[in-house]
Every structure is written in C-alpha cells, then in structure tokens.
Amino acid sequence: MGRDLKLTCFSCGVTNRLPAGKMEAGPKCGTCGARLADGRVHELDFRDMQSAIRHDGLPLLVDFWAPWCGPCRAMAPEFSKAAETLRGKVRFAKVDTQRNPDATVHYNIRGIPQLILFDRGREVARLSGARPAAQIAAFVRDHASLPA
C-alpha cells in the first residue's frame, strides 16, 4: 500500500500524515504523542469533528448524544465495544448535543442517540436509536470503505 493517510489528533487537533500500512503499529501524533487510532471513543466538539470529517483518511462514526438521555448512556458501552472491534479501520467519536447545539442544527439531529457515519469527507449513512456493538459494527461495514 503506497498511499498515505491523514488523521486528525483528537487531543491537540493537528492533522498527521502517516503511511496507510502502518496502522497496525499504533501511530501517534507527531506533535503531542497521543495515539491516533487507539480503538477508543473520543469526545469531540463541533469544530474538531468538522476538522476530522474534512481531513481524515479513515471513516468516522459519530454518536450524537446527551448526558440526560437514558438510551444514550445505555448504548455507551456497546459503542465502545464496536470501537475496539474496528480499531485501526474506523475512528469513533461522541458529540454532546447539549454542549454543541450547532452540531445538532447543522446535521438536523431530531432524536438521540443518532449515529452518523462519515467517509471521505461526507455523510454516508445514519442509524437511529440505541444498538448493540455487533449491529453498530455491521452498520459501519455495510456503509464504509474500510481499509484491508
């Protein structure tokens, strides 16, 4: 694989370029040293999410949620399991709709939890409601172009 990937660091916001074949090695940010594809769910604000959507070479699955939402809290462990399952192939993030109302308006979020999958800079699919990890992972596999 001769192509490079760009990944936005969820800790410092810097866009990193790395060889696509090095994802298994656990790449780190060249600026702050944070892991770039660690299989964890990262809390993002609207600005950082927009940057990742525009620049990242891996698909990004975003969970729009709120702390007062029971189904959102119930799905959180399942979302984390799906993130671990797809580590190195997809990045997972959460956006708190209460703290980021601009994201809610921009993406026309009518109910939560709402999962939106972004790939190559655009929205490719949505999934509403709380789901188990296996359904979340299957949703991503069905709609994203995943690296081999």
Side-chain angles (χ1 to χ4, degrees):
M1 231 186 243
R3 68 180 189 98
D4 287 344
L5 280 178
K6 289 182 181 178
L7 293 178
T8 303
C9 178
F10 290 151
S11 293
C12 70
V14 170
T15 301
N16 293 263
R17 183 182 304 269
L18 56 131
K22 298 290 183 179
M23 290 304 296
E24 301 84 32
K28 294 182 181 178
C29 176
T31 301
C32 73
R35 294 210 179 272
L36 296 172
D38 57 5
R40 291 186 355 199
V41 176
H42 295 270
E43 181 78 32
L44 299 181
D45 62 20
F46 182 56
R47 183 182 55 85
D48 291 340
M49 179 189 70
Q50 289 293 97
S51 178
I53 291 167
R54 277 193 307 275
H55 301 295
D56 282 12
L58 289 180
L60 175 68
L61 183 63
V62 180
D63 174 17
F64 292 87
W65 73 290
W68 49 263
C69 171
C72 298
R73 290 193 319 269
M75 186 179 74
E78 296 299 309
F79 195 65
S80 293
K81 287 178 195 173
E84 180 60 34
T85 299
L86 295 170
R87 179 180 13 167
K89 297 180 187 293
V90 179
R91 299 176 84 199
F92 283 66
K94 295 176 82 74
V95 173
D96 182 343
T97 57
Q98 191 170 321
R99 288 188 174 169
N100 297 279
D102 291 347
T104 305
V105 172
H106 185 82
Y107 290 104
N108 197 26
I109 305 298
R110 302 271 181 189
I112 53 176
Q114 176 77 56
L115 303 179
I116 300 181
L117 180 63
F118 299 92
D119 195 5
R120 298 180 183 155
R122 63 182 184 85
E123 179 181 330
V124 294
R126 289 182 180 224
L127 185 64
S128 299
R131 306 294 173 126
Q135 283 184 9
I136 295 168
F139 165 74
V140 172
R141 287 186 185 105
D142 289 346
H143 293 94
S145 53
L146 300 181

PDB file of all heavy atoms in Angstrom, residues 130-144:
ATOM      1  N   ALA A 130     -30.557   3.275  20.194  1.00  0.00           N
ATOM      2  CA  ALA A 130     -29.509   2.505  20.859  1.00  0.00           C
ATOM      3  C   ALA A 130     -29.389   1.130  20.202  1.00  0.00           C
ATOM      4  O   ALA A 130     -30.397   0.489  19.905  1.00  0.00           O
ATOM      5  CB  ALA A 130     -29.828   2.358  22.343  1.00  0.00           C
ATOM      6  N   ARG A 131     -28.154   0.704  19.972  1.00  0.00           N
ATOM      7  CA  ARG A 131     -27.890  -0.567  19.292  1.00  0.00           C
ATOM      8  C   ARG A 131     -26.782  -1.325  20.007  1.00  0.00           C
ATOM      9  O   ARG A 131     -25.888  -0.725  20.594  1.00  0.00           O
ATOM     10  CB  ARG A 131     -27.436  -0.329  17.854  1.00  0.00           C
ATOM     11  CG  ARG A 131     -28.342   0.517  17.013  1.00  0.00           C
ATOM     12  CD  ARG A 131     -29.666  -0.189  16.788  1.00  0.00           C
ATOM     13  NE  ARG A 131     -30.596   0.705  16.119  1.00  0.00           N
ATOM     14  CZ  ARG A 131     -31.229   0.415  15.014  1.00  0.00           C
ATOM     15  NH1 ARG A 131     -31.055  -0.747  14.438  1.00  0.00           N
ATOM     16  NH2 ARG A 131     -32.067   1.282  14.481  1.00  0.00           N
ATOM     17  N   PRO A 132     -26.769  -2.663  19.893  1.00  0.00           N
ATOM     18  CA  PRO A 132     -25.659  -3.441  20.437  1.00  0.00           C
ATOM     19  C   PRO A 132     -24.426  -3.294  19.544  1.00  0.00           C
ATOM     20  O   PRO A 132     -24.518  -2.921  18.368  1.00  0.00           O
ATOM     21  CB  PRO A 132     -26.183  -4.878  20.445  1.00  0.00           C
ATOM     22  CG  PRO A 132     -27.282  -4.900  19.449  1.00  0.00           C
ATOM     23  CD  PRO A 132     -27.847  -3.514  19.395  1.00  0.00           C
ATOM     24  N   ALA A 133     -23.282  -3.631  20.092  1.00  0.00           N
ATOM     25  CA  ALA A 133     -21.997  -3.471  19.393  1.00  0.00           C
ATOM     26  C   ALA A 133     -21.983  -4.181  18.048  1.00  0.00           C
ATOM     27  O   ALA A 133     -21.479  -3.628  17.063  1.00  0.00           O
ATOM     28  CB  ALA A 133     -20.855  -3.975  20.272  1.00  0.00           C
ATOM     29  N   ALA A 134     -22.511  -5.371  17.968  1.00  0.00           N
ATOM     30  CA  ALA A 134     -22.491  -6.128  16.716  1.00  0.00           C
ATOM     31  C   ALA A 134     -23.267  -5.408  15.614  1.00  0.00           C
ATOM     32  O   ALA A 134     -22.834  -5.378  14.458  1.00  0.00           O
ATOM     33  CB  ALA A 134     -23.055  -7.527  16.925  1.00  0.00           C
ATOM     34  N   GLN A 135     -24.399  -4.793  15.953  1.00  0.00           N
ATOM     35  CA  GLN A 135     -25.183  -4.047  14.965  1.00  0.00           C
ATOM     36  C   GLN A 135     -24.463  -2.771  14.533  1.00  0.00           C
ATOM     37  O   GLN A 135     -24.521  -2.395  13.363  1.00  0.00           O
ATOM     38  CB  GLN A 135     -26.565  -3.706  15.500  1.00  0.00           C
ATOM     39  CG  GLN A 135     -27.525  -4.862  15.494  1.00  0.00           C
ATOM     40  CD  GLN A 135     -28.919  -4.444  15.943  1.00  0.00           C
ATOM     41  OE1 GLN A 135     -29.226  -3.269  16.106  1.00  0.00           O
ATOM     42  NE2 GLN A 135     -29.769  -5.436  16.155  1.00  0.00           N
ATOM     43  N   ILE A 136     -23.793  -2.133  15.466  1.00  0.00           N
ATOM     44  CA  ILE A 136     -23.037  -0.917  15.133  1.00  0.00           C
ATOM     45  C   ILE A 136     -21.905  -1.270  14.176  1.00  0.00           C
ATOM     46  O   ILE A 136     -21.709  -0.607  13.152  1.00  0.00           O
ATOM     47  CB  ILE A 136     -22.501  -0.238  16.414  1.00  0.00           C
ATOM     48  CG1 ILE A 136     -23.659   0.266  17.276  1.00  0.00           C
ATOM     49  CG2 ILE A 136     -21.547   0.905  16.055  1.00  0.00           C
ATOM     50  CD1 ILE A 136     -23.265   0.699  18.672  1.00  0.00           C
ATOM     51  N   ALA A 137     -21.161  -2.314  14.487  1.00  0.00           N
ATOM     52  CA  ALA A 137     -20.046  -2.733  13.627  1.00  0.00           C
ATOM     53  C   ALA A 137     -20.552  -3.162  12.247  1.00  0.00           C
ATOM     54  O   ALA A 137     -19.952  -2.817  11.219  1.00  0.00           O
ATOM     55  CB  ALA A 137     -19.261  -3.862  14.282  1.00  0.00           C
ATOM     56  N   ALA A 138     -21.661  -3.885  12.189  1.00  0.00           N
ATOM     57  CA  ALA A 138     -22.225  -4.313  10.912  1.00  0.00           C
ATOM     58  C   ALA A 138     -22.675  -3.104  10.086  1.00  0.00           C
ATOM     59  O   ALA A 138     -22.471  -3.067   8.863  1.00  0.00           O
ATOM     60  CB  ALA A 138     -23.394  -5.267  11.133  1.00  0.00           C
ATOM     61  N   PHE A 139     -23.268  -2.133  10.730  1.00  0.00           N
ATOM     62  CA  PHE A 139     -23.687  -0.894  10.062  1.00  0.00           C
ATOM     63  C   PHE A 139     -22.485  -0.214   9.389  1.00  0.00           C
ATOM     64  O   PHE A 139     -22.557   0.180   8.226  1.00  0.00           O
ATOM     65  CB  PHE A 139     -24.343   0.030  11.099  1.00  0.00           C
ATOM     66  CG  PHE A 139     -24.508   1.453  10.655  1.00  0.00           C
ATOM     67  CD1 PHE A 139     -25.493   1.801   9.727  1.00  0.00           C
ATOM     68  CD2 PHE A 139     -23.705   2.453  11.178  1.00  0.00           C
ATOM     69  CE1 PHE A 139     -25.653   3.129   9.331  1.00  0.00           C
ATOM     70  CE2 PHE A 139     -23.849   3.764  10.787  1.00  0.00           C
ATOM     71  CZ  PHE A 139     -24.827   4.103   9.855  1.00  0.00           C
ATOM     72  N   VAL A 140     -21.388  -0.122  10.119  1.00  0.00           N
ATOM     73  CA  VAL A 140     -20.186   0.508   9.566  1.00  0.00           C
ATOM     74  C   VAL A 140     -19.648  -0.313   8.403  1.00  0.00           C
ATOM     75  O   VAL A 140     -19.328   0.232   7.334  1.00  0.00           O
ATOM     76  CB  VAL A 140     -19.104   0.691  10.657  1.00  0.00           C
ATOM     77  CG1 VAL A 140     -17.795   1.162  10.047  1.00  0.00           C
ATOM     78  CG2 VAL A 140     -19.589   1.669  11.716  1.00  0.00           C
ATOM     79  N   ARG A 141     -19.529  -1.610   8.582  1.00  0.00           N
ATOM     80  CA  ARG A 141     -19.006  -2.475   7.500  1.00  0.00           C
ATOM     81  C   ARG A 141     -19.871  -2.390   6.239  1.00  0.00           C
ATOM     82  O   ARG A 141     -19.349  -2.454   5.129  1.00  0.00           O
ATOM     83  CB  ARG A 141     -18.922  -3.916   7.982  1.00  0.00           C
ATOM     84  CG  ARG A 141     -17.802  -4.160   8.953  1.00  0.00           C
ATOM     85  CD  ARG A 141     -17.673  -5.638   9.298  1.00  0.00           C
ATOM     86  NE  ARG A 141     -16.679  -5.852  10.317  1.00  0.00           N
ATOM     87  CZ  ARG A 141     -16.964  -6.136  11.592  1.00  0.00           C
ATOM     88  NH1 ARG A 141     -18.219  -6.301  11.992  1.00  0.00           N
ATOM     89  NH2 ARG A 141     -15.997  -6.290  12.473  1.00  0.00           N
ATOM     90  N   ASP A 142     -21.178  -2.238   6.411  1.00  0.00           N
ATOM     91  CA  ASP A 142     -22.092  -2.170   5.269  1.00  0.00           C
ATOM     92  C   ASP A 142     -22.002  -0.855   4.506  1.00  0.00           C
ATOM     93  O   ASP A 142     -22.341  -0.816   3.328  1.00  0.00           O
ATOM     94  CB  ASP A 142     -23.547  -2.369   5.725  1.00  0.00           C
ATOM     95  CG  ASP A 142     -23.851  -3.785   6.152  1.00  0.00           C
ATOM     96  OD1 ASP A 142     -23.046  -4.699   5.867  1.00  0.00           O
ATOM     97  OD2 ASP A 142     -24.902  -3.984   6.799  1.00  0.00           O
ATOM     98  N   HIS A 143     -21.568   0.214   5.170  1.00  0.00           N
ATOM     99  CA  HIS A 143     -21.649   1.536   4.545  1.00  0.00           C
ATOM    100  C   HIS A 143     -20.310   2.252   4.311  1.00  0.00           C
ATOM    101  O   HIS A 143     -20.288   3.267   3.612  1.00  0.00           O
ATOM    102  CB  HIS A 143     -22.554   2.447   5.387  1.00  0.00           C
ATOM    103  CG  HIS A 143     -23.978   2.004   5.383  1.00  0.00           C
ATOM    104  ND1 HIS A 143     -24.494   1.185   6.358  1.00  0.00           N
ATOM    105  CD2 HIS A 143     -24.982   2.233   4.509  1.00  0.00           C
ATOM    106  CE1 HIS A 143     -25.764   0.954   6.091  1.00  0.00           C
ATOM    107  NE2 HIS A 143     -26.085   1.574   4.967  1.00  0.00           N
ATOM    108  N   ALA A 144     -19.233   1.781   4.891  1.00  0.00           N
ATOM    109  CA  ALA A 144     -17.943   2.486   4.762  1.00  0.00           C
ATOM    110  C   ALA A 144     -16.972   1.686   3.908  1.00  0.00           C
ATOM    111  O   ALA A 144     -17.054   0.466   3.819  1.00  0.00           O
ATOM    112  CB  ALA A 144     -17.335   2.724   6.145  1.00  0.00           C
TER     113      ALA A 144
END
